[in-house]
Amino acid sequence: MYQHYARPGQDADGEEPGHAVAILSVQGSAPGVHIVDVNTDYQRLWGGSREEWLGAAPIIVQQEAANRQIFDQLHDALNPLLNDAESFFEGIGGLEVNRRHDGSRRYVEWRITAMGVRHNDTITLVLTQRNVTEQMEKEAQLERLATTDMLTGLVNRAQFDAVLKSEVNRQHRYARPLSLIMLDLDYFKQINDRHGHDVGDQVLVALADLLKCTLRKADCCARWGGEEFMLLAPETSLEQAVRLANKIRDAIKHTAFPIQGSVTASFGVVEVHSQDSVKSLMERVDNALYLAKEEGRDQVSTGGLLPSAKQA
């Protein structure tokens, strides 16, 4: 009898298993689920020969503890059918993520359904397992394309709009501190004019990398458009957001960007109020950024709610 637990593999030719099928048998008088037959893809998925699998307990997922939990779930779902031949078994299923030998992920979708009707004291089931890795990876790629700025790898404007709306609604419900920071690179047009748009793009990418390293995990950072960026800081008061903005402003000023000379940025910072709509919040942060530009750039402005700040 084949013993648990084989590691999901692939054929010698490198081809991934496709649609694995195992025919299972459950007897009301005897606990346990046993294999009656398996197809070639099941053998390729879990290893072993058909003869080794006959009479063995099936592998549904790679992790043994999870496999036992599925057996318990299956028995609970089958109990009505074991006690009443007129009952109906709708089936159970799920999606497992496991690791290939090279460390990459593989997604296996599985489902167990009844095959025909109960015969005497025996229920025949069909276990199907399908490799959906390519489908999942394509879906993940489409999601990244829909939510990510392709140049910088940051969240794009559309996704940030959705996150901002959600966080503002949460602030209205729970009255937790939430701040918004808008930053704009100073004289960015001159960088493009003097050094070309390729260098300008390199500056934007370097700035995005700096932001990723500087911000906290809870913060959401997006490229808003051109050389403008948005930072949403949950659980952050206005004073804390000003300190964060100055930390970023100072880091930008002292970073060696891919051009000669330093790069600076101006910041507008606001805290969300209970009466704020997304529109009013955006107007306030945009006005704060405008004041930072008017006050000489390389500034952090709160729109007059707190003294504007500038570090040497």
Side-chain angles (χ1 to χ4, degrees), residues 4-5 24 33 57-60 66-76 92 112:
H4 284 192
Y5 274 82
L24 313 177
V33 183
I59 298 179
I60 302 171
N67 212 65
R68 288 197 300 267
Q69 289 178 352
I70 292 172
F71 283 143
D72 292 340
Q73 179 187 357
L74 177 61
H75 281 295
D76 289 343
I92 61 174
I112 300 175

Side-chain angles (χ1 to χ4, degrees), residues 34-94:
H34 305 287
I35 290 179
V36 176
D37 203 358
V38 296
N39 72 347
T40 302
D41 274 335
Y42 188 90
Q43 299 167 55
R44 292 164 60 194
L45 180 62
W46 299 112
S49 66
R50 176 177 177 273
E51 289 71 24
E52 290 174 310
W53 280 109
L54 298 182
I59 298 179
I60 302 171
V61 296
Q62 184 178 349
Q63 297 298 321
E64 185 172 0
N67 212 65
R68 288 197 300 267
Q69 289 178 352
I70 292 172
F71 283 143
D72 292 340
Q73 179 187 357
L74 177 61
H75 281 295
D76 289 343
L78 287 175
N79 270 335
L81 191 59
L82 290 168
N83 297 320
D84 179 6
E86 299 302 319
S87 296
F88 179 71
F89 173 58
E90 295 183 353
I92 61 174

Side-chain angles (χ1 to χ4, degrees), residues 25 27 32 49 63-64 66 84 102 106 108 113-114 117 136 149 155 172 178 180 185 193 205 207 269 275 280 284:
S25 177
Q27 291 186 335
S49 66
Q63 297 298 321
E64 185 172 0
D84 179 6
D102 62 3
R106 176 163 60 184
V108 177
T113 54
V117 297
M136 296 295 291
D149 176 68
V155 170
H172 290 170
L178 175 67
L180 181 65
L185 287 178
D193 291 344
V205 171
L207 174 59
V269 183
Q275 69 273 19
S280 67
R284 289 202 297 118

